[in-house]
Amino acid sequence: MAGDRDTLLGMGFDSARVDWALRATGNRGLQPAMDHILEHDGQPVPDLGTVTESKAGGARTDAMDVDDEDADALQSLGATATTEVEAKSIKCSECGKIFRNTALANFHAEKSGHDQFEESTEEIKPLTEEEKKQKLEELRERLAAKRAAKAQEEIKEQKAAEALRRKAGKDMNKVKEDLKVKQALQEAEQKKREKIEDAKAKAAVKAQIEADKKARAEKFAREKAIRDGLPIPGEGAAVPVAAARAAVATPSSFGVAGKDYQETRLQIRMSTGGQPYTTTLRSEAPLREVAEYLAGQNLNVDVDTVAFAQHFPRKTFDRLDFTKSLKELGLTPSAVLIATVP
């Protein structure tokens, strides 16, 4: 009815949902339509062109129709068609409830699981205006309660999602902070190791430089003392000038007379220039061992072709001297050799 439709529209319901409710309830009144809207709230509105089959098997809302051809035949024989008493409602045989139409009976069958229905001549009285108002108020309250519950549920879901998001963000930030701290510690440890290694390398270089300077100074002092016939620094008793000169004239007696040196410190210079090589060998070591040492330090040196010479006293060593010891060649306790590579 137009009045029921306007009333439902005035309550704020969608027009398509109102039309669906009125058609589904067979326009039986405002109350069935409101019940239908409430029960199907949230469900999509179907195509109103489709027909819903009734679950109340065998129930009928209209009087039994008489086939048109049979009616014509009866009239031609002078007889009148009879009809059964019109059904006013549908009754559930299991619980005794009475419904205005098939749609409401179907709804009851879906909710309760009952499937035994029958037609009834009992007529459900229409609602009074007071009852309509009361039903409308009840419907509004139920709808408001349902919407409020839905809103509360949505709020809870939003809060839960926000809590999960914040927790995930905190966990990610903690992981990032831990990673930064770990990287900082690793970098600090690496820098510390590098500083220690640099300090060790610098100390080693400095120590080597000092040792080389000291060795050169000692060597220079010894050579100068020998040349001048003065006592050799650090060797104890003074050497007479005549003895020093005799030592210079005789290589086998080079050094302090009567002293047996176990080691000989050598400084080897390349004839082509460059940094000198300094080493300490046994006094009994042959000159060839000096050549082998130099070949290990300089790839351009060949043990079989390298030649050695001495500026003071001036002397050139031949291949036969390579088998003689440093002591025999008068190179103890120290000497400066000039190496020549052909």
Side-chain angles (χ1 to χ4, degrees):
M1 294 182 177
D4 293 339
R5 187 176 189 279
D6 294 339
T7 301
L8 293 172
L9 292 175
M11 293 174 63
F13 294 114
D14 182 67
S15 60
R17 194 169 294 278
V18 170
D19 294 338
W20 177 28
L22 292 173
R23 181 165 183 176
T25 57
N27 291 318
R28 294 286 181 169
L30 182 63
Q31 179 59 38
M34 286 191 298
D35 291 340
H36 184 276
I37 292 175
L38 181 62
E39 296 299 338
H40 294 80
D41 182 39
Q43 298 181 8
V45 179
D47 185 1
L48 297 182
T50 60
V51 179
T52 304
E53 295 182 358
S54 172
K55 288 189 178 181
R60 295 176 299 171
T61 58
D62 299 326
M64 182 181 296
D65 296 331
V66 178
D67 186 76
D68 293 339
E69 294 182 358
D70 294 339
D72 293 339
L74 291 174
Q75 287 180 359
S76 63
L77 296 174
T80 59
T82 60
T83 61
E84 297 179 356
V85 178
E86 182 181 0
K88 301 295 184 179
S89 61
I90 298 176
K91 182 177 181 180
C92 177
S93 302
E94 298 185 34
C95 65
K97 288 186 177 181
I98 301 175
F99 305 97
R100 293 179 181 273
N101 52 45
T102 303
L104 294 178
N106 285 338
F107 180 70
H108 174 72
E110 293 176 357
K111 289 185 62 178
S112 62
H114 298 169
D115 57 1
Q116 300 297 324
F117 294 87
E118 60 183 357
E119 294 179 344
S120 175
T121 57
E122 297 182 35
E123 184 177 2
I124 300 176
K125 295 181 180 180
L127 296 176
T128 63
E129 291 298 326
E130 186 66 25
E131 289 174 340
K132 289 182 179 180
K133 290 181 180 180
Q134 184 178 357
K135 288 290 184 180
L136 284 174
E137 188 64 27
E138 290 177 358
L139 178 60
R140 287 171 180 167
E141 291 177 357
R142 291 169 65 183
L143 287 174
K146 190 171 183 180
R147 289 170 180 169
K150 186 176 181 181
Q152 290 294 329
E153 187 66 25
E154 290 177 353
I155 292 174
K156 288 181 180 179
E157 292 177 355
Q158 292 175 358
K159 288 182 177 180
E162 180 65 17
L164 289 175
R165 187 188 64 78
R166 290 182 179 179
K167 185 176 184 302
K170 289 180 179 179
D171 293 342
M172 183 59 67
N173 290 335
K174 187 176 184 304
V175 170
K176 290 181 179 179
E177 292 297 329
D178 292 344
L179 183 59
K180 288 182 180 179
V181 171
K182 186 176 180 180
Q183 290 177 346
L185 291 175
Q186 291 177 348
E187 291 176 358
E189 186 66 23
Q190 181 65 23
K191 289 181 179 179
K192 183 178 180 181
R193 288 196 298 267
E194 291 176 355
K195 286 183 178 179
I196 294 174
E197 292 174 358
D198 290 344
K200 288 181 179 180
K202 289 179 180 179
V205 172
K206 185 176 181 181
Q208 184 64 39
I209 292 173
E210 293 296 329
D212 291 343
K213 288 172 63 178
K214 184 177 179 181
R216 287 194 298 270
E218 291 177 354
K219 179 64 176 177
F220 179 78
R222 288 192 184 97
E223 291 178 352
K224 188 175 185 302
I226 293 172
R227 287 194 303 269
D228 297 341
L230 299 176
I232 299 176
E235 297 299 335
V239 180
V241 175
R245 289 178 179 174
V248 171
T250 308
S252 60
S253 60
F254 182 82
V256 179
K259 182 118 177 172
D260 186 14
Y261 295 95
Q262 300 296 323
E263 293 181 346
T264 299
R265 183 173 180 82
L266 297 174
Q267 185 180 93
I268 307 169
R269 299 177 181 177
M270 302 298 296
S271 60
T272 56
Q275 185 71 22
Y277 301 96
T278 302
T279 184
T280 300
L281 299 175
R282 296 177 298 106
S283 297
E284 299 297 334
L287 185 60
R288 182 178 179 84
E289 192 169 327
V290 178
E292 292 174 351
Y293 162 76
L294 185 60
Q297 303 297 318
N298 192 325
L299 297 178
N300 296 323
V301 175
D302 188 345
V303 176
D304 295 328
T305 60
V306 65
F308 292 107
Q310 189 177 21
H311 287 333
F312 183 84
R314 184 172 299 276
K315 178 177 177 60
T316 300
F317 301 97
D318 56 25
R319 303 307 300 179
L320 295 177
D321 292 330
F322 272 54
T323 61
K324 297 179 181 179
S325 67
L326 301 178
K327 183 177 180 180
E328 292 175 343
L329 296 174
L331 299 177
T332 56
S334 62
V336 176
L337 297 178
I338 307 301
T340 303
V341 178

